[in-house]
Amino acid sequence: MEFPLWAWILFHVIVAVMLALDLGVFHRNAHEVKMKEALIWSGVWIAAALAFNILILLAWGRELAFHFLTAYLVEKSLSADNILVFAVIFSYFAVPPAYQHRVLFWGILGAVLMRAIFIFAGVQLLRIFHWTIYAFGALLIYTGIRLARRSEEKVQPERNPVLRLARRFLPLTPTYHGQRFLVREGRFWMATPLLLTLLVVESTDVMFAVDSVPAVLAITPELFIAYTSNIFAILGLRALYFVLAGLIQRLRYLHFGLSVILIYIGVKMLLSDLVRIPPAISLGLVALALLISGLASWIAAQREKAHPLSQK
């Protein structure tokens, strides 16, 4: 299905205005993002995505609206699971809280560009080489199984190859210089630790995209729906980080819910030529997996509070 030019323009205008307000007005001066502010901005981004979903419902019908909402929910959930990685990166580089929003802002802008490239390429692959649908399905099943079997693995930013190259070839300052990525010392430009943090965040998101983009394309092959749902979810990740950074470790069973979702979507993709599963069922299964994993995490946390000694 070809979506009209006005829809593409409207989407990018909405995104541009919100980003301009975010960085140019509300975060012009670096400051630590508190929970209240993060909740407000997270709510704003979610409301914008839901409003856009209503527009899709009114303009193009219920099926595409279900596809958008399912893809948005899956990407949002996968993003939440990645928040712990960002927290480890910020801790490794000892990024002051006041500068974390700036790193996430520019990091997520880079992620938007990479996701756009991945999605456009993925859609074209599916159109030209139909067999790639089976490759994507198998990749999602493998990723889901790997996610379910993961242990308490440690994130090690120092092993990031992009960071190693940057430290080898870039002139670096030993300390932060406010929220600047580059500073001039004498005749030379020097990279600050904030730029190193940004490079690690950007390169890490490439690995995240390998999992999430096939999942979105498995839900909908429509370029406009896949692109807009993914970008809305990614753009809301900054605010979601400041909401969940201190809570994500309590969602100990979230990865099981995400594993079920990825395996289901992978199987759905492999069977797409034989069985057509209604979008409403997919949306319901995704929501149910997240609800059960979240509820199980909450029950486990409550039990630990009630019997702290038994957990040692």
Side-chain angles (χ1 to χ4, degrees):
M1 176 178 177
E2 293 294 330
F3 286 81
L5 180 61
W6 66 262
W8 289 93
I9 294 175
L10 177 62
F11 169 74
H12 288 99
V13 167
I14 292 171
V15 169
V17 169
M18 293 187 66
L19 287 176
L21 288 174
D22 188 350
L23 189 64
V25 177
F26 294 101
H27 294 96
R28 176 179 296 178
N29 299 316
H31 65 276
E32 181 178 354
V33 178
K34 300 295 185 180
M35 178 65 75
K36 180 179 178 181
E37 181 182 356
L39 284 171
I40 291 173
W41 269 104
S42 188
V44 167
W45 280 110
I46 292 173
L50 294 178
F52 197 79
N53 194 33
I54 292 173
L55 174 62
I56 292 173
L57 173 65
L58 297 176
W60 296 289
R62 184 167 55 181
E63 182 172 346
L64 289 179
F66 273 127
H67 283 163
F68 177 94
L69 188 57
T70 305
Y72 174 78
L73 188 58
V74 168
E75 178 59 36
K76 198 78 169 176
S77 304
L78 290 171
S79 298
D81 193 48
N82 297 333
I83 283 175
L84 181 60
V85 177
F86 291 147
V88 172
I89 293 172
F90 286 147
S91 176
Y92 174 78
F93 287 102
V95 180
Y99 307 147
Q100 291 177 6
H101 180 275
R102 184 173 178 83
V103 173
L104 288 174
F105 182 91
W106 292 107
I108 288 172
L109 280 187
V112 166
L113 178 60
M114 286 187 286
R115 297 303 174 91
I117 294 172
F118 274 46
I119 290 171
F120 275 77
V123 168
Q124 293 306 314
L125 280 174
L126 290 174
R127 287 177 178 175
I128 299 173
F129 304 106
H130 180 71
W131 59 266
T132 55
I133 194 171
Y134 304 115
F136 283 166
L139 175 63
L140 289 173
I141 293 173
Y142 168 76
T143 303
I145 294 172
R146 187 188 65 189
L147 190 60
R149 297 176 62 184
R150 80 176 185 189
S151 58
E152 293 297 323
E153 55 188 25
K154 293 183 179 181
V155 181
Q156 298 176 308
E158 67 276 7
R159 294 188 176 182
N160 186 293
V162 174
L163 177 60
R164 291 180 176 180
L165 287 173
R167 282 176 166 168
R168 183 175 181 180
F169 294 106
L170 289 180
L172 304 172
T173 64
T175 60
Y176 287 94
H177 290 257
Q179 59 178 345
R180 300 172 66 183
F181 294 115
L182 296 168
V183 293
R184 189 165 185 171
E185 295 188 356
R187 295 183 299 169
F188 302 100
W189 286 97
M190 309 281 286
T192 70
L194 208 62
L195 180 61
L196 295 183
T197 308
L198 177 61
L199 291 175
V200 174
V201 168
E202 294 280 21
S203 57
T204 302
D205 185 74
V206 174
M207 295 183 290
F208 295 160
V210 172
D211 295 338
S212 65
V213 170
V216 170
L217 294 179
I219 295 167
T220 175
E222 295 290 347
L223 176 59
F224 182 76
I225 301 298
Y227 174 73
T228 55
S229 61
N230 199 276
I231 298 308
F232 263 124
I234 288 297
L235 289 175
L237 180 57
R238 293 186 320 284
L240 188 64
Y241 168 82
F242 293 105
V243 174
L244 294 181
L247 304 175
I248 195 66
Q249 289 182 317
R250 299 182 186 179
L251 298 175
R252 64 184 68 185
Y253 299 127
L254 175 63
H255 66 285
F256 286 118
L258 295 177
S259 172
V260 170
I261 291 171
L262 291 176
I263 292 173
Y264 162 72
I265 293 174
V267 171
K268 176 177 177 289
M269 212 168 191
L270 292 178
L271 299 178
S272 59
D273 289 333
L274 302 174
V275 181
R276 184 183 182 279
I277 301 175
I281 292 180
S282 294
L283 177 60
L285 288 174
V286 168
L288 183 62
L290 293 174
L291 178 63
I292 291 175
S293 60
L295 184 60
S297 300
W298 180 81
I299 291 174
Q302 294 303 114
R303 286 179 175 175
E304 281 193 359
K305 288 182 180 179
H307 307 284
L309 296 179
S310 65
Q311 305 298 322
K312 295 183 179 181

